[in-house]
Amino acid sequence: MAHKRNTGFKLRFPEFILIGLLLFSSISLGFSSGSFILNLKEFGFGIVSSVEKGFSYLTSSIGDTIHSVKELKELKKDYNDLIVRLENYEELQRSNAEIRKENERLKEQLDFAISLDEKNIPAQIISRDLDSVYSYITINKGTKNGIKKNMPVIAFQNGNNGLVGKVVQVGAFTSQIIPIYNINNIVSCRVLNTRDLGLVSGKGSDDKPLTLKHIRKSVVDQLKYGDIIVTSGENDNYMKDIPIGTISKITSLEYETSLTIELTPIIDFSRLENVVVINQKELNDRKQDK
């Protein structure tokens, strides 16, 4: 029986001792010559340098980022400040425009009041009852300003003067007006062109048309849309020929002896702010002083 030949390499103890001595001698020689230490220093310096370079780059990047964030905050603050200043400027411009418009309105009212033959008291509307069928308007002038009950009230709006109503109640500093759209306010009137006599009444709301009655059917062909209806001047309730409204609809019913006509008021009551109360018993002294 043949024996299996062992071909593996085995390090024997004497050879292990020899290799160990050679390795130790080489390391000792390296330390004694300084080359090993130098290489170790160079290796360590390379590592430290790389770390320092990376740390420097990281620090610089963080610094730049912080600076950029700071600049961004400052820019945002400047932007917000500019927005606020712009809004303030626009608000100032709007205020100036509103003041100019208000001055123009007041000047028109003053010029209109001065142009009247009768003594008059300009006033401002301070409240109005819009929810009731029996609507009323309150102004900021009363007996202390010379206002009396039953004085007619007119207004100047968009280049036109028109009838507002009449005073029905007076306090020391305020007065109450019954407007022409109140269902209890009936005004004697005439068609300006034909001079036909009729009566105007309201429907209780400023956004509804007025009603003109008692105009004869025989004059229907003489009427047209847009014709102006004015006060008749009868019964001393109102001055003569104050515009009330314009014809917007004409209805002729078989069972009626007169026409039923709808009017659009001359005055836009939803935008009315200032009125003029008229004292028909006295002359306007301001007209002479103009």
Side-chain angles (χ1 to χ4, degrees):
M1 183 175 180
H3 294 281
K4 187 178 180 180
R5 188 176 178 179
N6 188 0
T7 58
F9 175 77
K10 291 184 178 181
L11 186 63
R12 292 176 293 182
F13 181 74
E15 295 171 345
F16 178 78
I17 293 298
L18 177 61
I19 293 172
L21 290 174
L22 291 174
L23 181 60
F24 177 76
S25 300
S26 299
I27 293 173
S28 299
L29 181 62
F31 271 105
S32 62
S33 62
S35 60
F36 183 79
I37 296 175
L38 181 61
N39 292 335
L40 184 60
K41 287 182 178 180
E42 290 178 354
F43 176 75
F45 178 76
I47 294 175
V48 172
S49 298
S50 299
V51 172
E52 288 180 347
K53 184 177 181 180
F55 182 77
S56 176
Y57 175 78
L58 180 61
T59 304
S60 177
S61 298
I62 294 174
D64 291 341
T65 302
I66 294 174
H67 184 68
S68 298
V69 171
K70 184 178 180 181
E71 286 185 344
L72 182 60
K73 288 183 178 180
E74 292 177 353
L75 287 174
K76 185 176 181 180
K77 182 178 180 301
D78 293 341
Y79 173 77
N80 292 334
D81 291 341
L82 288 174
I83 291 296
V84 171
R85 291 173 62 183
L86 179 60
E87 290 176 350
N88 292 337
Y89 176 76
E90 291 176 348
E91 181 65 25
L92 181 62
Q93 290 293 97
R94 284 194 294 268
S95 298
N96 290 337
E98 291 173 1
I99 290 173
R100 286 194 295 270
K101 288 181 180 179
E102 179 65 19
N103 288 338
E104 290 174 0
R105 285 196 297 266
L106 292 176
K107 185 178 184 303
E108 287 179 345
Q109 292 288 335
L110 179 60
D111 292 342
F112 173 64
I114 292 175
S115 69
L116 296 172
D117 293 329
E118 298 84 3
K119 183 177 181 180
N120 55 80
I121 303 102
Q124 184 177 6
I125 296 174
I126 56 176
S127 68
R128 63 186 82 194
D129 181 9
L130 299 178
D131 297 329
S132 173
V133 173
Y134 306 100
S135 304
Y136 292 92
I137 296 173
T138 304
I139 58 174
N140 64 343
K141 297 291 177 66
T143 56
K144 295 292 184 180
N145 307 100
I147 294 180
K148 298 178 182 179
K149 189 176 179 180
N150 292 325
M151 283 185 174
V153 182
I154 62 177
F156 186 77
Q157 187 183 67
N158 299 324
N160 300 311
N161 63 299
L163 182 64
V164 174
K166 67 178 179 179
V167 177
V168 292
Q169 188 172 344
V170 186
F173 302 101
T174 60
S175 299
Q176 196 174 62
I177 299 168
I178 181 172
I180 57 175
Y181 57 81
N182 186 303
I183 62 175
N184 285 338
N185 193 2
I186 300 175
V187 182
S188 177
C189 66
R190 289 186 183 275
V191 181
L192 182 61
N193 293 334
T194 67
R195 307 309 295 178
D196 287 283
L197 188 65
L199 294 175
V200 171
S201 60
K203 296 181 179 179
S205 176
D206 62 357
D207 60 355
K208 294 181 180 180
L210 305 174
T211 301
L212 170 59
K213 291 186 176 182
H214 305 296
I215 301 296
R216 297 169 298 162
K217 284 185 176 182
S218 59
V219 302
V220 64
D221 293 335
Q222 301 175 39
L223 303 176
K224 61 182 182 295
Y225 296 137
D227 280 351
I228 299 174
I229 309 302
V230 297
T231 54
S232 66
E234 297 181 0
N235 302 323
D236 291 332
N237 287 332
Y238 301 98
M239 303 90 73
K240 187 178 181 180
D241 290 338
I242 302 174
I244 301 174
T246 58
I247 295 177
S248 57
K249 184 178 181 181
I250 302 174
T251 304
S252 179
L253 301 175
E254 293 183 0
Y255 56 84
E256 292 286 348
T257 58
S258 61
L259 299 170
T260 299
I261 301 173
E262 289 187 355
L263 306 179
T264 299
I266 294 291
I267 298 299
D268 183 353
F269 285 90
S270 65
R271 296 184 176 181
L272 186 63
E273 299 179 62
N274 301 287
V275 299
V276 177
V277 182
I278 306 297
N279 184 346
Q280 301 178 84
K281 307 300 182 182
E282 298 182 32
L283 295 177
N284 185 5
D285 296 334
R286 287 173 296 181
K287 187 174 182 179
Q288 300 175 0
D289 298 336
K290 186 177 179 181

